Amino acid sequence: MKLVVVSAGLSVPSSTRLLADRLAAAVADRTAVDTEVIELRDLAVEIAHQFTSGFPGKALAAAQDAVTEADGLIVVTPVFSASYSGLFKSFFDVLDKDALTGKPVLIAATGGTARHSLVLDHALRPLFSYLRAVVVPTGVYAASEDWGAAGLPERIERAAQELAALLPKTEHREEQGVVPFAERLAALRAS
């Protein structure tokens, strides 16, 4: 199962990437996933070129394919002017319009103050609802004062659990000991 993490952090190190990594690790603790991280900072020029040329560069095309083929997404943006960053929005603007249809998405954001926490419900959730993704109920916002404070780890765990529950199960039915009802019924008829 493939989990793709889209991080729009601009600095190195980045609190946005740190939150993305913690969310991905919490999901991986709950279900078997292959995780790929896409750093939008590295794709900024190619995103701009796609707007002007209509065609993605090689790295951007690979990122678009990864998102389209993912079983689930974690998306994390820093807050700029009380909303997601322009780079974050631009990346999702250059995706195919059907790329996220029915895909489970965990939304998250970072910012300098708790006053921007509404970005989750007033910007991110509507964006991904418009793209027809399935947004998990718990979004995670981390202000500067949240790092190392009570509450953030619990929100991360709750959101990860919700995303993991929406991801396809990878276990084989033989390993689980599950026998389809039709096979059970056929066995009853034979005896």
Side-chain angles (χ1 to χ4, degrees):
M1 180 168 20
K2 185 174 180 185
L3 176 67
V4 172
V5 179
V6 178
S7 173
L10 298 177
S11 60
V12 178
S14 161
S15 62
T16 302
R17 175 62 190 265
L18 178 61
L19 180 57
D21 289 344
R22 288 192 181 176
L23 289 163
V27 172
D29 286 345
R30 287 167 171 72
T31 188
V33 291
D34 291 322
T35 303
E36 179 178 345
V37 177
I38 297 170
E39 287 278 4
L40 296 184
R41 170 184 70 246
D42 300 334
L43 300 172
V45 172
E46 287 192 32
I47 291 169
H49 284 168
Q50 182 168 351
F51 277 116
T52 59
S53 71
F55 299 99
K58 191 174 188 177
L60 179 57
Q64 291 169 329
D65 289 344
V67 167
T68 301
E69 295 165 5
D71 294 301
L73 296 176
I74 295 172
V75 298
V76 189
T77 182
V79 174
F80 290 114
S81 301
S83 190
Y84 37 68
S85 72
L87 180 60
F88 182 85
K89 177 67 164 60
S90 294
F91 176 73
F92 289 100
D93 284 344
V94 297
L95 277 179
D96 180 83
K97 66 179 181 63
D98 297 321
L100 301 184
T101 301
K103 194 172 303 287
V105 176
L106 190 164
I107 57 174
T110 58
T113 174
R115 292 180 305 157
H116 294 298
S117 64
L118 290 175
V119 70
L120 295 172
D121 291 321
H122 291 276
L124 288 168
R125 196 171 300 279
L127 171 64
F128 288 97
S129 292
Y130 174 79
L131 295 171
R132 297 186 306 276
V134 178
V135 182
V136 301
T138 301
V140 179
Y141 180 81
S144 297
E145 65 266 14
D146 288 330
W147 297 102
L152 181 59
E154 292 80 7
R155 292 194 311 271
I156 289 171
E157 293 299 320
R158 184 172 55 243
Q161 183 176 359
E162 292 169 358
L163 180 60
L166 291 173
L167 294 174
K169 304 302 175 221
T170 58
E171 300 170 73
H172 300 304
R173 68 174 193 200
E174 296 80 18
E175 293 171 3
Q176 296 175 346
V178 176
V179 178
F181 181 73
E183 287 180 28
R184 288 182 184 254
L185 189 58
L188 288 174
R189 288 182 187 149
S191 52

